[in-house]
Amino acid sequence: MPSLKDLFDASGPTYLTYVNWNCPHHRRSVMASLVQGVYVLERDRQWNRQGPDARAPAWWRFFHFELRQVLVDAADGSIFGAVYAFQPPFHLMDPTAAASAPYYVAAFRGTITKKGSAKRDLELDLLLVRNGLEGKSRFRVAVQAIHDTVAVAAGQHYRVWLAGHSLGSAIATLAAKTLARAGAAVLPTFLFNAPFVSAPVERIGDRRVRQGIRIANSFVTAGVAALLQGGGGGVHDASFAALAAWVPNLFVNPADPISAEYVGYFDHRRKMEAIGAGAVGRLATRNSVKDLLLGIGKGGGGCEPLHLFPSAVLTVNRGPSPDFKTAHGIHQWWRPDLALECTAHYYS
């Protein structure tokens, strides 16, 4: 049977009857709900729920958004994204809060392990590990939609927001990096449970062991990068630093093995500076051994790691998560009782 989690009235943030766009909790909850709207759009398609039976519209209409575009993967016909337009009633407009609201939101779902989309989603999950999303039709459709939306925003690209969960976070990340590096736009971005392809060091209970492994890994990564990039290291550094102005909002759960490594990734950068190994840390922070080795023979000193960010506002859910579905799920991010830890990290 269809899940009750698809019903906004049963599992959505119905308590959020007024949205203050200056409030980080409100922004996070609405962006997560819009991503959930994409999940339910695809499940509506799979269950053939149409008209009054469709469950997806409540996830955006409650917050006064309209659905402007549905993004479909040409490979299997599944819905993977949507572009929403904010259309609040005039009598609800708070000029101060409205100045911080988006005009448009492009949202992308993650993997759905159901027959109608599982094959394509899992194929893209595997490509994600090898940084192979860029050439796929799903990414091309997403980037074109974002380009078109930025054009409609007429110079106010900061009012075009991106949001994604899991695989959808990877698509949003790649699109945002592409636009920022090209100098086209720096878009506010909300990434929920974004994949960090790495050994699960964060799951090791002993803090000193975790720290020791990360320090050793940094020296290995920096050594491999120096060897393979040679004189081209400056180009890679400039490319990474060019993204520093893009500061995504990154939401992770330490109990989620897919995204948990971001917790240690940013904290470790500060530790490397503290022990006097800042140069090694900076070289390691923009490279991964896996991607360096994948790039052998392709020129350029390695593939660019999709999951490594120069800067981010990292929000960690420190509350209890009894299982993987809870820790990795989108639903956790609109709960009003979260135990959150938020830190801003800037690349220098």
Side-chain angles (χ1 to χ4, degrees):
M1 288 187 59
S3 172
L4 287 177
K5 288 188 175 182
D6 287 355
L7 289 171
F8 182 83
D9 288 341
S11 62
T14 54
Y15 63 88
L16 202 56
T17 55
Y18 168 76
V19 175
N20 178 358
W21 290 101
N22 294 310
C23 174
H25 167 63
H26 288 193
R27 292 197 300 266
R28 183 191 71 249
S29 299
V30 176
M31 292 302 104
S33 296
L34 295 181
V35 172
Q36 173 67 358
V38 182
Y39 275 106
V40 185
L41 270 171
E42 171 56 16
R43 286 194 280 265
D44 279 350
R45 183 191 74 87
Q46 294 186 16
W47 285 87
N48 197 29
R49 298 188 301 231
Q50 302 178 26
D53 295 327
R55 297 183 174 186
W59 289 93
W60 57 82
R61 288 177 180 168
F62 187 85
F63 303 108
H64 307 294
F65 282 85
E66 294 179 354
L67 181 63
R68 287 295 176 88
Q69 185 178 1
V70 174
L71 306 182
V72 177
D73 192 324
D76 65 351
S78 65
I79 297 170
F80 71 90
V83 178
Y84 304 102
F86 185 47
Q87 300 289 330
F90 183 77
H91 70 279
L92 291 180
M93 287 290 286
D94 179 339
T96 303
S100 302
Y103 288 164
Y104 302 96
V105 176
F108 307 97
R109 66 165 177 84
T111 302
I112 296 179
T113 56
K114 302 296 181 184
K115 184 177 179 180
S117 56
K119 181 179 178 181
R120 177 62 168 171
D121 287 355
L122 293 173
E123 173 193 336
L124 293 175
D125 287 335
L126 292 174
L127 286 170
L128 167 62
V129 175
R130 297 188 285 115
N131 283 338
L133 290 178
E134 192 165 1
K136 296 302 173 181
S137 60
R138 184 175 296 194
F139 174 70
R140 292 196 299 269
V141 170
V143 169
Q144 186 60 56
I146 295 168
H147 269 293
D148 294 345
T149 305
V150 169
V152 171
Q156 299 190 71
H157 55 76
Y158 59 93
R159 308 298 286 270
V160 178
W161 294 9
L162 306 182
H165 175 249
S166 195
L167 174 60
S169 282
I171 292 174
T173 296
L174 187 54
K177 282 187 171 185
T178 300
L179 291 171
R181 187 174 287 110
V186 176
L187 305 182
T189 308
F190 298 77
L191 305 174
F192 300 96
N193 301 89
F196 192 110
V197 183
S198 173
V201 179
E202 191 63 27
R203 304 300 298 274
I204 297 173
D206 192 308
R207 180 184 60 83
R208 290 173 298 178
V209 173
R210 290 200 307 268
Q211 184 172 334
I213 291 173
R214 288 197 170 105
I215 290 173
N217 182 66
S218 288
F219 278 95
V220 171
T221 302
V224 174
L227 177 65
L228 294 181
Q229 292 175 352
V235 175
H236 285 257
D237 189 21
S239 178
F240 192 74
L243 296 172
W246 174 61
V247 186
N249 298 277
L250 186 60
F251 304 93
V252 305
N253 187 317
D256 171 25
I258 292 176
S259 65
E261 283 308 301
Y262 278 112
V263 178
Y265 170 71
F266 286 106
D267 188 52
H268 178 64
R269 291 193 340 195
R270 292 187 295 196
K271 285 186 171 61
M272 291 296 285
E273 293 286 348
I275 67 173
V280 172
R282 285 189 293 275
L283 182 55
T285 201
R286 61 180 186 267
N287 291 284
S288 79
V289 172
K290 171 185 71 69
D291 296 294
L292 287 165
L293 296 178
L294 282 173
I296 292 177
K298 298 180 181 179
C303 303
E304 180 189 340
L306 175 63
H307 59 284
L308 303 186
F309 302 155
S311 308
V313 176
L314 178 68
T315 299
V316 181
N317 180 7
R318 295 292 185 182
S321 298
D323 52 38
F324 169 75
K325 289 185 69 174
T326 302
H328 189 65
I330 188 69
H331 288 73
Q332 66 185 297
W333 297 113
W334 57 71
R335 287 179 51 186
D337 58 345
L338 292 177
L340 299 178
E341 176 184 285
C342 185
T343 52
H345 301 270
Y346 300 101
Y347 184 73
S348 60

